[in-house]
Amino acid sequence: MTETDPIDDPDEEGPVDRVRSHVSENRGGMLQDLVFAIAWVTVVSLLYDFAFANTPQWVLYMFMLAGIPAYFGFFLSLEMAKRQR
């Protein structure tokens, strides 16, 4: 049997400290992600409830899934615009 180092090193920070440091390092990006997600879900829900009220529920799911390429497209175009400025 071979000896191995213990997985938990007492000098390392705990999971709460790791989450706290991750959030503090990425605060701006996480806030942008949250705002985009809330805005997308709100717009899609309103469209589905009022404009497409008679459509099947899978249309709602397709609209929600469309948020993934919309997210990346929006933020990539935003980065490109910032670089060209």
Side-chain angles (χ1 to χ4, degrees):
M1 201 176 223
T2 61
E3 276 193 45
T4 58
D5 292 332
I7 294 173
D8 295 329
D9 188 12
D11 294 335
E12 290 184 13
E13 50 190 31
V16 173
D17 293 329
R18 280 184 269 169
V19 168
R20 187 176 294 130
S21 67
H22 179 75
V23 169
S24 67
E25 290 171 4
N26 301 302
R27 182 170 294 152
M30 293 174 81
L31 183 62
Q32 289 174 348
D33 295 347
L34 180 65
V35 169
F36 184 87
I38 290 171
W40 186 264
V41 170
T42 301
V43 168
V44 168
S45 296
L46 290 173
L47 279 174
Y48 182 74
D49 288 343
F50 297 111
F52 303 108
N54 296 327
T55 58
Q57 193 169 12
W58 63 266
V59 173
L60 172 67
Y61 298 142
M62 291 297 117
F63 274 134
M64 290 295 182
L65 282 174
I68 297 169
Y71 169 83
F72 287 107
F74 177 74
F75 283 108
L76 287 176
S77 67
L78 189 64
E79 271 189 43
M80 290 172 51
K82 285 180 181 178
R83 282 191 212 142
Q84 289 179 355
R85 201 168 26 140

